[in-house]
Amino acid sequence: MKAFSVAIFLLLFMHQTVAANGRPDKTTVIKTLGANILLPCWNTATNVTPSFTRWMKNGQFIIGRNHSIIPTPSSEGHLTIMYNQSLYINGLALSDEGIYLCDSLPHDNNTQTSLTLQIVSCPGNGITDIHPATTLSNGTLVVHRGSTVLFNCSSWSYPSQRLTWEFQGVAYRNDSLTAGSGSWLDFRIEDIQPTAQGNYICRAQNSVSQKEVGWSKELLVYYSPEKHPECQWKIGKDPSHVQFNCSWFGGYPSPTLLWGEKHQVPASQGNEVAGQLMESEVTDRLVINLNRSLLFDGQTLKCDGYHPMISTEDEKFCSFTLKSPYPEGEPLVTALEGTNITLTCKESSSLPPALTTWQRTAQQEDVVPSPKYVLLGQGPTFTLTIVNITKQDEGLYFCRSENPLMVRELEIYLTVKTSSQSTGAIIGIFLAILIVGSGIVIAKTVYSSRDRICLGNGFERMEEEREDVLSLVESDEEVFPEAVPRLPPLSLTNGHSTTLVQIHRISSNDHEDEEIVEHPLQLENTDMEELVTF
Ligand SMILES: *[C@@H]1O[C@H](CO)[C@@H](O)[C@H](O)[C@H]1NC(C)=O
Ligand SMILES: *[C@@H]1O[C@H](CO)[C@@H](O)[C@H](O)[C@H]1NC(C)=O
Ligand SMILES: *[C@@H]1O[C@H](CO)[C@@H](O)[C@H](O)[C@H]1NC(C)=O
Ligand SMILES: *[C@@H]1O[C@H](CO)[C@@H](O)[C@H](O)[C@H]1NC(C)=O
Ligand SMILES: *[C@@H]1O[C@H](CO)[C@@H](O)[C@H](O)[C@H]1NC(C)=O
Ligand SMILES: *[C@@H]1O[C@H](CO)[C@@H](O)[C@H](O)[C@H]1NC(C)=O
Ligand SMILES: *[C@@H]1O[C@H](CO)[C@@H](O)[C@H](O)[C@H]1NC(C)=O
Ligand SMILES: *[C@@H]1O[C@H](CO)[C@@H](O)[C@H](O)[C@H]1NC(C)=O
Ligand SMILES: *[C@@H]1O[C@H](CO)[C@@H](O)[C@H](O)[C@H]1NC(C)=O
Ligand SMILES: *[C@@H]1O[C@H](CO)[C@@H](O)[C@H](O)[C@H]1NC(C)=O
């Protein structure tokens, strides 16, 4: 506890009223408890040597002295009458308080002068109690925001005192929060807020001596940040470095932030997480710069936050598990000349998020937005729309994803069909339908006359033909490679979609019979473009 004297008005205060004869007739002497005092006696004329002196207190004799007798020096007690009649009191006690009067022989006819002795006790034994609060090593008290805090100050003064509580904050000061005259003074603050942070001073002033003593306590109001730490990253000015930024605002005092690396230990070793501390600081924001060469796929960078208001069991952190970019999309796209085509690429795995751009041609030139190329990025999906496709647009496109770990590209090949090709395709479809239609008719005819065909060696011939057809399917050969319309790309995500594929073939044998084989196929990504589907 820090005690200090604010002001000492006086240790010895005398109030005197002067009588008509020029001598004081009434005097009040104020003296602190425990001190020594000499009370003068004015009753004898200055030129007369007194023979006997007596001192009365509150009308009662307390001590007398025959001046003819020389006192032994050793006999000094609580009260002593000096040779000049003064009364010396050694070690004032509260019981010494009273009205003193001296009397001497020979008598002086002046009115007797009385002295009032007032004992005072400085404010002392001051205790300031602020609770509930915790005390820091430097004596500063800490309370939690929102709590109700009781302030109590007690002090002892004689005969009475005035107590006040004062506040000195950063924002404002209040010289009198509350005041009173008892032996203690208390007040409370409900739902304490950070503005109540500052110094609380209890002052005690002796009502008689005016002597003042004060005790001061520094009070801090702590509160925890509301959310979790936030992890962010950004490529540093030097591109070989990545900045990882951990911030945790809104608390007082500042938290301790730790950036570390966590490795997942194999399950056989108990699946524990081994950590390596990279940097730690008492701050709201901790930024670390990591050389890209130190980063790898699957690495976890973690920022732990510790705050005095949050127990260490209540873990507060944010983390990154680094992941390489992985752009996904259709590798083969076909478009018709004169139309618009949109190439789509999805980048959802990269962490930190990748920078995804489009490039074209084998030279990998960057695609810049223009009336020809419309670039769009919505969340993880990136699209490139090529307006008014021409034959020159045919070729390679790259969806390039880059994050601090690596660069990965999705290669897309765009095939452009001319409108004449599409006319041919329509004719092809028409022809195909025509042939299929007639084929069904012929097949039906063959079926209805199957008993006749099966007679003789007809059965054997049919088996051979079936083999022929099946082998055709396996080799994926097309009868009309140019006349086949290209389908828009199928979704690759469900690689198991079953499509009924019809392959038409005119028998190489002399007979005019035509066979239609219906065969369900599992579509595979690689040969999709080669399949004829309706
Ligand atoms: C003072 O002491 C002397 C010598 O002992 C004595 O003669 C005298 O009477 C005393 N005076 C008084 C007032 O007692
Ligand atoms: C009386 O004597 C004391 C010391 O012997 C001295 O301090 C004091 O001033 C004297 N009082 C008067 C009124 O002369
Ligand atoms: C003091 O007063 C008394 C009577 O009251 C008188 O007898 C005496 O002479 C006076 N003494 C002096 C020194 O004036
Ligand atoms: C005591 O410590 C706290 C926390 O470290 C600090 O904020 C405060 O200023 C210190 N007070 C004094 C008086 O040094
Ligand atoms: C304040 O402190 C005094 C002395 O320690 C004690 O007697 C009193 O009960 C306290 N007041 C409150 C409200 O706690
Ligand atoms: C100071 O405290 C007193 C007593 O609680 C209160 O009436 C007054 O409004 C306060 N002043 C300020 C500026 O807070
Ligand atoms: C770190 O993140 C915080 C919070 O978003 C931001 O205010 C600060 O500027 C960032 N610092 C750096 C160096 O990126
Ligand atoms: C980053 O690390 C690589 C390999 O360890 C090193 O060659 C390079 O100088 C480092 N870059 C910086 C800026 O420290
Ligand atoms: C192709 O894109 C351009 C530009 O966005 C637009 O004006 C035009 O209508 C589009 N054409 C078709 C057929 O969608
Ligand atoms: C598309 O391109 C062709 C050839 O460059 C041009 O003649 C035609 O006007 C363009 N169409 C549109 C809608 O821009």
Side-chain angles (χ1 to χ4, degrees):
M1 182 166 299
K2 195 165 67 178
F4 60 90
S5 287
V6 174
I8 301 174
F9 277 73
L10 68 160
L11 282 171
L12 178 65
F13 174 79
M14 284 195 179
H15 168 82
Q16 298 178 339
T17 51
V18 180
N21 61 6
R23 279 200 178 151
D25 63 351
K26 224 186 210 174
T27 305
T28 301
V29 179
I30 297 167
K31 196 74 180 172
T32 50
L33 187 69
N36 305 331
I37 193 171
L38 192 69
L39 299 176
C41 178
W42 285 297
N43 285 353
T44 316
T46 42
N47 53 352
V48 180
T49 306
S51 58
F52 191 85
T53 304
R54 135 177 118 147
W55 276 93
M56 319 280 283
K57 183 183 145 198
N58 299 332
Q60 288 188 337
F61 172 85
I62 47 164
I63 191 170
R65 176 174 172 181
N66 183 339
H67 292 277
S68 316
I69 302 161
I70 292 141
T72 47
S74 60
S75 68
E76 203 169 280
H78 182 57
L79 301 171
T80 315
I81 296 174
M82 311 303 282
Y83 71 92
N84 61 8
Q85 301 184 290
S86 297
L87 177 67
Y88 179 78
I89 309 173
N90 181 28
L92 282 174
L94 286 180
S95 56
D96 291 327
E97 222 175 48
I99 298 163
Y100 284 82
L101 201 71
C102 74
D103 194 8
S104 56
L105 290 175
H107 277 296
D108 180 328
N109 277 358
N110 288 319
T111 43
Q112 290 199 323
T113 305
S114 67
L115 265 173
T116 305
L117 179 61
Q118 167 78 67
I119 307 278
V120 293
S121 167
C122 301
N125 298 328
I127 297 167
T128 50
D129 175 33
I130 299 176
H131 72 263
T134 49
T135 311
L136 299 179
S137 54
N138 64 7
T140 296
L141 295 175
V142 168
V143 297
H144 298 182
R145 179 172 68 183
S147 59
T148 295
V149 182
L150 180 83
F151 297 76
N152 187 10
C153 174
S154 66
S155 167
W156 186 82
S157 271
Y158 186 83
S160 64
Q161 66 183 355
R162 184 182 148 82
L163 285 173
T164 49
W165 269 108
E166 267 176 40
F167 172 67
Q168 288 176 0
V170 180
Y172 73 100
R173 56 177 290 158
N174 192 338
D175 288 334
S176 182
L177 292 168
T178 180
S181 58
S183 66
W184 53 270
L185 177 68
D186 74 312
F187 74 101
R188 65 184 65 224
I189 299 180
E190 272 159 28
D191 187 19
I192 198 161
Q193 291 303 308
T195 47
Q197 187 165 297
N199 287 309
Y200 286 83
I201 302 149
C202 172
R203 290 185 200 282
Q205 189 180 43
N206 190 295
S207 49
V208 173
S209 70
Q210 307 295 305
K211 194 190 170 185
E212 193 177 88
V213 176
W215 302 274
S216 172
K217 284 271 187 189
E218 187 183 39
L219 185 78
L220 299 177
V221 180
Y222 278 11
Y223 48 97
S224 56
E226 273 160 26
K227 295 181 216 149
H228 283 262
E230 263 179 52
C231 289
Q232 286 176 333
W233 76 283
K234 93 179 176 203
I235 299 284
K237 284 198 184 83
D238 168 7
S240 69
H241 279 81
V242 190
Q243 259 187 10
F244 291 93
N245 180 358
C246 177
S247 50
W248 200 22
F249 297 112
Y252 180 84
S254 287
T256 302
L257 296 179
L258 284 89
W259 263 117
E261 191 185 351
K262 298 265 185 283
H263 306 286
Q264 202 71 34
V265 174
S268 57
Q269 291 169 38
N271 224 354
E272 273 173 33
V273 173
Q276 187 198 329
L277 180 69
M278 289 169 164
E279 213 166 310
S280 101
E281 208 181 306
V282 176
T283 177
D284 286 348
R285 182 161 79 208
L286 184 61
V287 178
I288 51 164
N289 283 292
L290 293 184
N291 191 333
R292 278 175 88 146
S293 63
L294 297 172
L295 305 176
F296 54 88
D297 194 44
Q299 183 182 27
T300 298
L301 296 173
K302 188 165 175 242
C303 172
D304 283 296
Y306 297 97
H307 192 270
M309 290 288 294
I310 298 172
S311 80
T312 43
E313 286 103 70
D314 190 4
E315 205 184 6
K316 300 282 183 190
F317 70 96
C318 59
S319 65
F320 281 119
T321 296
L322 303 182
K323 267 182 163 170
S324 304
Y326 196 84
E328 290 172 289
E330 312 302 330
L332 295 166
V333 175
T334 305
L336 201 59
E337 200 173 29
T339 61
N340 297 348
I341 183 79
T342 297
L343 307 181
T344 305
C345 174
K346 205 171 159 195
E347 174 55 76
S348 49
S349 71
S350 175
L351 223 153
L355 180 68
T356 302
T357 55
W358 288 94
Q359 290 179 332
R360 55 184 288 274
T361 73
Q363 286 75 46
Q364 299 203 227
E365 298 155 24
D366 283 331
V367 175
V368 289
S370 67
K372 177 76 183 167
Y373 301 112
V374 181
L375 301 172
L376 214 71
Q378 276 188 325
T381 306
F382 297 84
T383 59
L384 164 64
T385 302
I386 308 166
V387 176
N388 194 10
I389 293 269
T390 64
K391 194 70 187 168
Q392 283 80 53
D393 293 322
E394 190 166 84
L396 278 175
Y397 289 82
F398 297 92
C399 172
R400 184 180 193 274
S401 257
E402 177 174 10
N403 83 355
L405 298 176
M406 67 180 296
V407 176
R408 199 171 256 161
E409 287 161 347
L410 166 72
E411 201 177 287
I412 300 174
Y413 192 84
L414 174 69
T415 309
V416 176
K417 295 282 176 197
T418 57
S419 18
S420 56
Q421 278 176 310
S422 85
T423 316
I426 293 162
I427 295 166
I429 295 166
F430 176 74
L431 280 175
I433 293 168
L434 198 73
I435 294 163
V436 168
S438 53
I440 291 167
V441 175
I442 294 162
K444 204 180 173 194
T445 317
V446 172
Y447 181 80
S448 54
S449 54
R450 61 193 177 282
D451 44 340
R452 271 176 282 143
I453 293 166
C454 288
L455 292 173
N457 58 359
F459 186 78
E460 270 178 54
R461 207 176 74 224
M462 273 196 78
E463 287 292 299
E464 282 165 22
E465 277 169 5
R466 191 162 293 269
E467 270 180 2
D468 256 358
V469 170
L470 286 172
S471 69
L472 256 179
V473 172
E474 277 156 13
S475 67
D476 283 345
E477 240 169 66
E478 293 177 26
V479 180
F480 306 115
E482 279 306 305
V484 168
R486 299 279 174 175
L487 271 192
L490 289 173
S491 166
L492 292 186
T493 47
N494 57 343
H496 299 294
S497 63
T498 306
T499 307
L500 188 68
V501 179
Q502 294 190 335
I503 292 175
H504 173 256
R505 187 198 177 221
I506 300 166
S507 172
S508 53
N509 291 1
D510 279 340
H511 61 81
E512 286 165 28
D513 287 358
E514 287 177 13
E515 287 288 327
I516 301 295
V517 175
E518 292 189 352
H519 189 74
L521 278 185
Q522 291 289 100
L523 281 184
E524 296 296 330
N525 298 350
T526 45
D527 58 9
M528 171 195 64
E529 283 295 308
E530 307 304 322
L531 292 172
V532 187
T533 60
F534 290 91

